Amino acid sequence: MRPSDRPGSSRLPMIILIDGDCSMCRNMAAWALRRSPRRRLRIVTRQSAAGRRLIAEQPAGALPADTVACLDNGRIRLHADAVRQVVRRLHPPWSWLVVLTAVPRPLRDAAYRWLARRRGRRPATTACRTSGPPCGNPTRHW
């Protein structure tokens, strides 16, 4: 095993579990994929077979339906912590946005929940803005 492929290495793909019915979620995931080094992020929708399998493999309640979740080397991160982990995996200068997450977790999560409550107000789009197969494709990763 190469050193970069060991568990704990940031070169392993992080799985981002999103709501595939939410246009904001799909568009934000597509934005992150365009700014991420190859194979560092993998998007899986909750509605896909791979998403349902991931949810079933976790302890009950570990992946709430109302939030984005990141599964990274066996750790589950939710809410603003999940967004922070995604930002850390982006190419500079985008990865530098992580400094904006230096605010205390309760404030970050409150801001995340405020935005999440309003996500349904955005107009729906018919497809994810990435090229190739839809984001829900369990084989799609970068």
Side-chain angles (χ1 to χ4, degrees), residues 101-129:
T101 64
V103 298
R105 179 182 286 164
L107 293 176
R108 287 193 321 255
D109 283 345
Y112 177 89
R113 285 190 302 273
W114 180 85
L115 183 62
R117 282 192 307 269
R118 285 150 183 79
R119 69 185 178 145
R121 297 180 187 174
R122 293 182 49 98
T125 57
T126 57
C128 185
R129 290 185 180 171

Side-chain angles (χ1 to χ4, degrees), residues 11 33 41 89 98 101:
R11 293 184 52 104
L33 288 174
L41 300 175
R89 295 276 179 115
V98 78
T101 64

Side-chain angles (χ1 to χ4, degrees), residues 29-52:
W31 180 89
L33 288 174
R34 289 191 305 270
R35 288 154 181 84
S36 171
R38 293 182 53 76
R39 292 186 238 251
R40 295 198 66 190
L41 300 175
R42 179 178 173 204
I43 304 299
V44 178
T45 65
R46 293 178 175 279
Q47 294 80 4
S48 69
R52 289 189 303 271

Side-chain angles (χ1 to χ4, degrees), residues 6-88:
R6 280 190 221 130
S9 167
S10 63
R11 293 184 52 104
L12 293 174
M14 177 192 313
I15 298 170
I16 306 168
L17 189 63
I18 66 166
D19 179 358
D21 293 333
C22 169
S23 63
M24 183 175 75
C25 302
R26 290 191 319 263
N27 290 336
M28 292 301 288
W31 180 89
L33 288 174
R34 289 191 305 270
R35 288 154 181 84
S36 171
R38 293 182 53 76
R39 292 186 238 251
R40 295 198 66 190
L41 300 175
R42 179 178 173 204
I43 304 299
V44 178
T45 65
R46 293 178 175 279
Q47 294 80 4
S48 69
R52 289 189 303 271
R53 191 170 47 251
L54 275 172
I55 292 167
E57 291 171 356
Q58 303 306 319
L63 298 173
D66 63 345
T67 186
V68 65
C70 288
L71 289 83
D72 188 22
N73 296 315
R75 291 193 65 187
I76 298 172
R77 293 195 169 92
L78 305 172
H79 310 294
D81 284 342
V83 174
R84 182 179 190 197
Q85 291 306 308
V86 171
V87 168
R88 291 181 68 196

